[in-house]
Amino acid sequence: ATKAQGGEPGWSEVGKKSKGTMIVRNEITLSETPISRVFGGSLRLELNRRGMKNTVSTQPFYELQLDIDLDDVRSISEAMRVFMSPGHIEGLRAKGGKKIDASQHSSIRPPKALVLHLKRFNLGEMNGHTRARKVEKVILYEEMITLPRRFLIGAYASSEFHLKAVVSHIGNSITNGHYTAYVKKYDRWYLFNDTKVSPASTEEVLSQNKTAYLLFYESK
């Protein structure tokens, strides 16, 4: 890579014909800690602007926040597809003030432990007021998920992940409720409910699809 020209911050990637193909404007990395080595991933955002060089930014994440309050999202795979789908960006203008068409593409370098955060708490209008509400909706998830290769950064990034824990929120309000956790240990599931720990079946774990709030997956 060569440093970007024109005084712009970042780096210009060089293609096969030694021409800059895009400018990396911002790259943030995590400080290495025991937690970041397990849960720390990278999110790559590529902004495509017609008639201009593409720009790329990378930023760390400990969890992926998935919007589930959409009509066409009924499962984790559909929520991930929406998260990674190209999005149209409005309101961007060139230096001269001219509006430009732009879209943003997302990809990730997943961590060893991938945490999926289902956004069950949302803001909505009710009687002319903005109120917080819980999204009580069935979202299907499985014991094993495979991330499409086109969404991953790096040829050696893990694409297969296995479910290791589920945190559920029981209650229909954003201001109160009860949390429980299912954890897999030595191929057996256990329910942690306050101070009580009891065995659980796979069927019971997967049936928490209306209350599941956090899903913990581990790469194979």
Side-chain angles (χ1 to χ4, degrees):
T2 60
K3 196 169 184 179
Q5 302 297 315
E8 293 188 73
W11 294 78
S12 176
E13 296 184 1
V14 177
K16 294 181 180 179
K17 297 183 180 180
S18 299
K19 294 182 179 179
T21 56
M22 61 184 68
I23 297 174
V24 181
R25 290 188 178 276
N26 189 26
E27 184 169 1
I28 305 172
T29 58
L30 289 170
S31 299
E32 186 167 329
T33 66
I35 292 177
S36 68
R37 285 196 291 268
V38 176
F39 294 97
S42 296
L43 174 65
R44 181 180 188 269
L45 302 173
E46 180 179 342
L47 181 64
N48 301 318
R49 298 172 295 176
R50 181 177 297 179
M52 304 176 67
K53 287 186 176 182
N54 297 345
T55 60
V56 171
S57 64
T58 60
Q59 60 190 52
F61 71 86
Y62 285 110
E63 62 181 40
L64 291 182
Q65 298 188 7
L66 303 181
D67 189 357
I68 61 172
D69 197 17
L70 300 170
D71 292 339
D72 58 346
V73 172
R74 297 171 296 275
S75 67
I76 287 299
S77 59
E78 291 172 345
M80 288 291 292
R81 174 184 54 77
V82 170
F83 182 87
M84 297 295 183
S85 295
H88 182 69
I89 307 297
E90 297 182 352
L92 292 183
R93 294 180 180 273
K95 290 183 178 180
K98 182 181 178 181
K99 289 185 178 180
I100 55 176
D101 292 329
S103 62
Q104 183 169 270
H105 301 256
S106 304
S107 55
I108 63 170
R109 180 179 288 111
K112 294 179 181 178
L114 179 63
V115 182
L116 302 181
H117 172 196
L118 308 189
K119 296 170 69 174
R120 289 206 175 270
F121 303 108
N122 211 339
L123 295 176
E125 293 291 331
M126 183 180 296
N127 299 325
H129 299 281
T130 300
R131 299 181 181 275
R133 65 183 181 86
K134 183 180 179 182
V135 181
E136 295 188 282
K137 177 182 180 181
V138 171
I139 298 295
L140 302 177
Y141 56 92
E142 300 176 339
E143 277 198 283
M144 191 272 286
I145 59 174
T146 302
L147 303 180
R149 280 289 177 186
R150 66 183 182 276
F151 295 149
L152 302 180
I153 305 171
Y156 302 102
S158 298
S159 62
E160 188 174 302
F161 290 80
H162 295 264
L163 188 64
K164 290 297 181 180
V166 177
V167 176
S168 292
H169 177 267
I170 301 170
N172 57 10
S173 171
I174 193 173
T175 58
N176 57 61
H178 180 65
Y179 288 94
T180 62
Y182 290 87
V183 179
K184 194 173 189 179
K185 182 72 171 179
Y186 300 126
D187 295 327
R188 293 185 179 182
W189 284 100
Y190 296 91
L191 168 62
F192 290 77
N193 188 354
D194 289 336
T195 59
K196 183 180 179 180
V197 180
S198 57
S201 65
T202 301
E203 291 74 20
E204 181 181 348
V205 173
L206 298 180
S207 70
Q208 307 303 305
N209 46 42
K210 194 174 181 179
T211 59
Y213 180 53
L214 295 172
L215 302 175
F216 292 76
Y217 283 90
E218 184 179 47
S219 63
K220 184 177 179 182

